[in-house]
Amino acid sequence: MAQFFYHTLVGQICLMLLETLAVLVPLLIGVAYLTLMERKVMAAMQRRRGPNVNGPFGLLQAFADAIKMIVKETVIPAGANRGLFLFAPFLTFSLAMVAWAVIPTGNGLAVANINVGILYLLAISSLGVYGILIAGWASNSKYAFLGGLRSAAQMVSYEVSIGLVIVSVLLAVGSLNLNDIVLAQRHVWFCLPMFPMFIVFFISALAETNRAPFDLPEGESELVAGFFVEYSSLAFGLFFLGEYANMILMSSMVSILFLGGWLPPLGIAPLTWIPGPLWLIFKILFCLFVFIWVRATFPRYRYDQLMRLGWKVFLPFSLLWMIGTAGFLMATGLLPHSGGVN
Amino acid sequence: MMAQLVFYIFTAVLLFSACMVITARNPVHSVLFLILTFFNASGLFLVAGAEFLAMLLVIVYVGAVAVLFLFVVMMLDVDFGQLREGFQKYAPLGGCVGGILFAELVLAFSHWEMAPSRAAPIAAPELTNTAALGGLIYTHYVLLFQACGLVLLVAMIGAITLTLREKATGRRQNITRQHARTRADTLEMLELDLGESVADRGGFLRPKSSYNEIAVPGSFGLVPETPTNEVASNKEKGA
């Protein structure tokens, strides 16, 4: 069996497909239940019951929603750029899936354990803006176009501060490999020494995923639904899935960069019994809970406030912090040697 | 075998999309093909084993530069007929420039050779190419690298200077003052006698006279000498 999987071409391709499925199937189920979790958590915060009719505790609601979405009619507006219109949701969805290839769920346990893992994540998340921009343009609608433009400006702005935060983490790690980043947090999670950066990264993650209070690209009160106003049925569903998969991805990035990935909080007995992937899932769930909590709590930002926060507050602050980190590590001789932990 | 196949796929798509950039009728399609070109170029870097450069190409060019291109092109109101008008006239000139550039590239790269002292760290097998590049840029060529940064900084300042205009009517908002505003500064609570209508007094919370002072001078057009009609009428009613 091992002979077949590791030494024949067909076997290797089969193995690759199985690995991909092992990541994608839990992810898609996770996305389905994330929508349910969002509705339940927000309902609890607003003293409602939330979905409770389909299945026990409303557990089948996610599937009911999915079936409803699939059987609806696909409408392509007249004057829309047909090819690009259908390409955009596909792009958003597949980018949200592709990024998961490098996320380690245990020591060395990733589909692709590549040297430049964190750059790969940054590259994929910077591509996410195209799905939205193309959707906005191809819809041939003013609301969609304005939503697309807003989103493009917003995502590009917050990527800068995300990049700088990642650089300060990398300075302390000495490697671009996600596995090494987690292993570097064996003694202390980075959220403690770099607490301000943790907050900056989390808020930027909210902006990057177009979540409340930065959900201006959708802005249903002024832009109807922003860039996906013209989408219906499965095309809309793909945007929806992509958006929630991106939320989970960003939460896992927060967990890996600042909350020690699959590592338990302390290396002592009862905590180490719980397997690593479960720890990662707990941390992702915690981040997702905060995502939803923020949505239920804060009103939407005004657009100029959003831009000001990104460029005039987060960018200088994270730049200063990065220089400070580099200076501190250099002065104390703690700067990790080039070449990484390995 | 596999690597060669991947190389040829990337190259073919790259050449095709590069041609489409200049032949596509719709400028937005051109930019999208340009993005595809960048993407395949980064794929070629990956095939060559330069994973750091590949990721950087995607992050910088695809993720930032091309987004701004697309942004601008989408908002342009291009007259396609006019665009193609001068093709015959400019074709020979463009051809000349292209030919000279191509010849120069061929001349330069046919004699390209790397200094052995510099090539050694890149070829060293124990270093990842991120570390090798970092060593080259930040240790051996740090001054040149800084000079590049300065050139970019100057370009950035130039662009900002060209576009920044202090207009009296600019919709500039002073966020510090907006945050400093409290309810007590701008609104006042009314206590009503029994049977009195709220509408007669201008609502529960009505703007104080400081409402207009707080506004930044020049924001939302000129600040009126007298309070706006609505405020004035509220005041009259309240008095």
Side-chain angles (χ1 to χ4, degrees):
Chain A
M1 199 66 184
Q3 172 73 26
F4 168 72
F5 277 130
Y6 288 106
H7 298 286
T8 61
L9 189 64
V10 182
Q12 279 172 353
I13 292 174
C14 285
L15 195 65
M16 219 186 283
L17 280 176
L18 285 177
E19 278 177 344
T20 315
L21 281 181
V23 173
L24 287 192
V25 171
L27 177 64
L28 287 175
I29 294 174
V31 167
Y33 278 98
L34 175 59
T35 59
L36 184 71
M37 173 180 159
E38 174 164 42
R39 292 168 70 178
K40 278 286 191 189
V41 169
M42 280 184 60
M45 286 175 180
Q46 296 161 354
R47 299 190 148 197
R48 297 183 283 116
R49 277 172 187 272
N52 61 352
V53 176
N54 295 317
F57 308 109
L59 282 177
L60 297 178
Q61 182 67 38
F63 298 99
D65 285 345
I67 291 168
K68 183 198 81 173
M69 201 131 25
I70 290 167
V71 296
K72 281 200 168 182
E73 183 190 356
T74 307
V75 181
I76 298 178
N81 195 315
R82 221 185 147 83
L84 286 179
F85 185 79
L86 293 175
F87 172 67
F90 177 71
L91 180 73
T92 305
F93 176 73
S94 48
L95 281 177
M97 300 293 125
V98 158
W100 280 88
V102 293
I103 300 286
T105 49
N107 198 353
L109 212 62
V111 175
N113 187 7
I114 57 176
N115 276 335
V116 287
I118 191 76
L119 285 182
Y120 175 81
L121 279 182
L122 211 56
I124 296 295
S125 78
S126 70
L127 285 178
V129 67
Y130 284 109
I132 293 170
L133 206 52
I134 291 173
W137 182 78
S139 298
N140 196 20
S141 149
K142 287 185 179 61
Y143 290 127
F145 187 53
L146 283 173
L149 290 185
R150 275 186 178 188
S151 177
Q154 173 178 335
M155 289 174 83
V156 169
S157 309
Y158 279 85
E159 242 151 49
V160 180
S161 57
I162 284 190
L164 284 174
V165 172
I166 288 178
V167 169
S168 17
V169 171
L170 294 181
L171 278 172
V173 176
S175 164
L176 297 175
N177 188 318
L178 288 168
N179 212 41
D180 292 345
I181 291 176
V182 175
L183 285 181
Q185 303 179 59
R186 266 164 310 187
H187 307 298
V188 58
W189 294 357
F190 285 141
C191 68
L192 290 179
M194 297 200 188
F195 186 70
M197 287 297 100
F198 173 53
I199 300 297
V200 168
F201 189 86
F202 191 82
I203 297 176
S204 303
L206 286 176
E208 187 76 5
T209 47
N210 295 328
R211 288 285 299 180
F214 305 111
D215 55 348
L216 288 123
E218 297 170 31
E220 69 272 6
S221 52
E222 70 251 40
L223 288 182
V224 196
F227 59 90
F228 54 69
V229 62
E230 304 291 347
Y231 283 88
S232 58
S233 178
L234 207 57
F236 171 76
L238 285 180
F239 268 126
F240 198 73
L241 285 176
E243 193 172 309
Y244 279 82
N246 267 331
M247 273 171 68
I248 306 182
L249 179 72
M250 274 302 181
S251 302
S252 69
M253 269 177 86
V254 173
S255 313
I256 286 167
L257 287 173
F258 291 100
L259 298 176
W262 68 82
L263 296 172
L266 295 166
I268 49 175
L271 293 175
T272 47
W273 291 344
I274 301 174
L278 273 184
W279 275 116
L280 186 66
I281 290 172
F282 287 151
K283 288 166 187 173
I284 290 177
L285 279 178
F286 170 73
C287 294
L288 288 173
F289 175 77
V290 182
F291 265 74
I292 297 166
W293 189 8
V294 165
R295 182 179 170 196
T297 311
F298 292 111
R300 187 178 292 142
Y301 256 52
R302 206 173 58 205
Y303 198 70
D304 65 310
Q305 290 173 325
L306 171 89
M307 281 299 164
R308 180 177 170 274
L309 185 71
W311 288 106
K312 293 189 179 172
V313 181
F314 282 179
L315 179 61
F317 182 58
S318 47
L319 191 62
L320 265 183
W321 188 276
M322 187 193 89
I323 294 168
T325 311
F328 176 79
L329 291 173
M330 201 70 192
T332 52
L334 289 172
L335 199 67
H337 207 264
S338 70
V341 189
N342 288 329
Chain B
M1 169 63 197
M2 193 67 182
Q4 268 182 341
L5 189 69
V6 173
F7 172 80
Y8 283 119
I9 291 173
F10 276 130
T11 319
V13 179
L14 187 141
L15 288 177
F16 167 76
S17 53
C19 291
M20 288 305 287
V21 172
I22 47 173
T23 52
R25 283 169 180 257
N26 191 330
V28 172
H29 292 178
S30 287
V31 179
L32 291 175
F33 275 115
L34 183 67
I35 292 160
L36 190 62
T37 315
F38 284 145
F39 209 77
N40 283 284
S42 108
L44 285 180
F45 272 127
L46 266 186
V47 173
E51 73 261 15
F52 183 74
L53 282 181
M55 291 305 152
L56 228 56
L57 188 69
V58 174
I59 293 172
V60 175
Y61 282 92
V62 183
V65 175
V67 171
L68 297 182
F69 274 6
L70 199 60
F71 213 96
V72 172
V73 170
M74 278 179 177
M75 288 199 286
L76 283 180
D77 190 19
V78 188
D79 183 359
F80 301 118
Q82 202 184 2
L83 260 185
R84 268 189 288 281
E85 236 169 36
F87 183 76
Q88 304 265 315
K89 202 165 100 192
Y90 292 112
L93 186 66
C96 275
V97 172
I100 290 172
L101 275 178
F102 184 70
E104 282 178 349
L105 277 180
V106 169
L107 279 178
F109 279 93
S110 56
H111 299 293
W112 185 278
E113 210 173 300
M114 210 168 191
S117 62
R118 295 292 176 256
I122 297 178
E126 73 272 17
L127 279 180
T128 62
N129 64 49
T130 316
L133 263 179
L136 270 185
I137 293 175
Y138 290 103
T139 311
H140 298 294
Y141 292 110
V142 66
L143 280 179
L144 285 176
F145 181 67
Q146 293 283 337
C148 289
L150 273 182
V151 171
L152 286 176
L153 182 69
V154 170
M156 193 175 82
I157 294 173
I160 292 174
T161 320
L162 282 176
T163 49
L164 189 69
R165 289 194 194 127
E166 287 289 348
K167 276 192 217 157
T169 54
R171 296 193 163 196
R172 189 168 297 270
Q173 310 214 20
N174 189 336
I175 296 203
T176 326
R177 290 182 73 173
Q178 287 175 354
H179 280 306
R181 249 172 66 164
T182 60
R183 197 178 68 180
D185 290 338
T186 46
L187 297 165
E188 106 184 80
M189 289 292 282
L190 290 183
E191 281 188 26
L192 295 176
D193 296 330
L194 197 63
E196 194 184 4
S197 166
V198 191
D200 294 342
R201 307 270 303 262
F204 283 106
L205 292 170
R206 57 177 187 168
K208 272 188 173 176
S209 58
S210 63
Y211 184 76
N212 280 318
E213 292 163 22
I214 292 282
V216 183
S219 68
F220 295 103
L222 296 169
V223 172
E225 293 290 314
T226 52
T228 53
N229 288 338
E230 197 188 349
V231 178
S233 62
N234 280 348
K235 263 186 188 161
E236 278 160 27
K237 282 173 192 167

